[in-house]
Amino acid sequence: MNEPRIPLIAGNWKMHKTIADAEAFIGALLPRIATYDGVEVGICPPFLALQAMVDSTRGSNVQVFAQTMHYAESGAFTGEVAPGMLTEIDVHGTILGHSERRELCGETDKALAQKVPAALEHGLTPILCVGETEEERERGDTERKLRQQIQEDLSRVPEDQLGRVVIAYEPIWAIGTGLTATPEQAQEACAFIRALVGQRSEAAAQSVRILYGGSVKPDNAAELLALPDIDGALVGGASLEAESFAAIVGAAAR
Ligand code: PGA
């Protein structure tokens, strides 16, 4: 019998919240989620608020993630942040390959193939984002896109480490649009991703957590989180208010 996967609800704040805003948010969030059990909670603030959020969440059930990371230890990479800089301040992990980073900042599968193992080597939990565009879905290319991203981005992760990766399935047409994938679409894609991981390691496929992301809100979270291959959510817009984020955490709790 496999260990049950503990759901993870992660809030991707994107370029929102100053340090003062972040402190106000966490002050409102912690009492709302203090009694929830059987769920892991993550927040992904902008780099400048990471230290403050690590300090403010110490001793709580909230983990702090960055939104991106370089793979190198150091070097001439203006504007980038290295893995050791995140671990130095006790950051728990990082989002990698978010569609906005892929589209707007040129984050490639080639770079991700180095970033995912670099995060794991430093003890950081990567949340690797994958997903198709609207055109790719309409053309029937969803599985091809997911296969290409999963195979390339995880290509250098050793089999015994694969189960530590968190994968977020985020159909690009559902991000920030208010359009959510139907439960059938979300389950089908997440099951497909798990099967792809299973081609490398069946044990990893059973332990890898697959999140759904794309317009997750308090009123649709429970239905999505109940699906067999969905182990949590990566939440954008609805993670900016403590009340709505706590409601989504509650939907995942035991
Ligand atoms: P959204 O964003 O919840 O606002 O759609 C999700 C994401 O980009 O991770």
Side-chain angles (χ1 to χ4, degrees), residues 233-244:
L234 184 56
V235 187
S239 75
L240 295 175
E241 298 293 336
E243 195 177 339
S244 51

Side-chain angles (χ1 to χ4, degrees), residues 12 14 98 100 170 174-177 213-217 234-238:
N12 174 13
K14 311 192 178 186
H98 190 279
E100 287 153 17
E170 298 208 309
I175 295 177
T177 56
S215 299
V216 175
K217 308 280 178 226
L234 184 56
V235 187

Side-chain angles (χ1 to χ4, degrees), residues 116-133:
V116 181
L120 293 167
E121 277 159 27
H122 283 81
L124 293 161
T125 297
I127 301 177
L128 172 69
C129 302
V130 297
E132 80 287 358
T133 63

Side-chain angles (χ1 to χ4, degrees), residues 38-226:
V39 56
E40 286 180 20
V41 182
I43 53 169
C44 316
F47 282 129
L48 286 172
L50 285 175
Q51 175 79 71
M53 289 301 94
V54 167
D55 292 341
S56 296
T57 57
R58 236 181 261 284
S60 79
N61 53 353
V62 176
Q63 302 164 350
V64 179
F65 291 76
Q67 297 177 9
T68 185
M69 183 195 80
H70 201 277
Y71 51 80
E73 300 292 324
S74 62
F77 302 108
T78 301
E80 293 286 343
V81 169
M85 298 172 184
L86 298 177
T87 54
E88 183 183 33
I89 61 164
D90 290 341
V91 165
H92 185 84
T94 183
I95 298 175
L96 292 173
H98 190 279
S99 62
E100 287 153 17
R101 299 290 311 174
R102 291 178 187 260
E103 192 184 338
L104 306 172
C105 308
E107 189 164 40
T108 61
D109 289 313
K110 191 160 173 266
L112 289 162
Q114 301 194 67
K115 290 183 182 202
V116 181
L120 293 167
E121 277 159 27
H122 283 81
L124 293 161
T125 297
I127 301 177
L128 172 69
C129 302
V130 297
E132 80 287 358
T133 63
E134 188 172 13
E135 299 76 64
E136 285 164 338
R137 178 162 281 274
E138 278 167 8
R139 278 205 311 265
D141 275 345
T142 299
E143 293 196 347
R144 198 166 64 100
K145 175 73 169 292
L146 295 176
R147 182 182 300 111
Q148 179 248 316
Q149 290 182 323
I150 293 288
Q151 286 181 347
E152 185 164 357
D153 300 353
L154 299 180
S155 57
R156 297 195 198 180
V157 176
E159 262 156 48
D160 65 348
Q161 295 294 307
L162 261 183
R164 289 178 50 210
V165 178
V166 176
I167 299 171
Y169 168 61
E170 298 208 309
I172 296 169
W173 47 271
I175 295 177
T177 56
L179 291 172
T180 318
T182 64
E184 293 71 28
Q185 288 171 328
Q187 166 56 27
E188 189 181 30
C190 292
F192 180 71
I193 291 169
R194 195 176 305 284
L196 289 172
V197 175
Q199 291 172 3
R200 295 272 311 279
S201 158
E202 198 39 54
Q206 290 312 314
S207 48
V208 78
R209 285 181 295 178
I210 303 177
L211 316 183
Y212 168 79
S215 299
V216 175
K217 308 280 178 226
D219 61 5
N220 61 23
E223 188 179 28
L224 290 160
L225 292 167

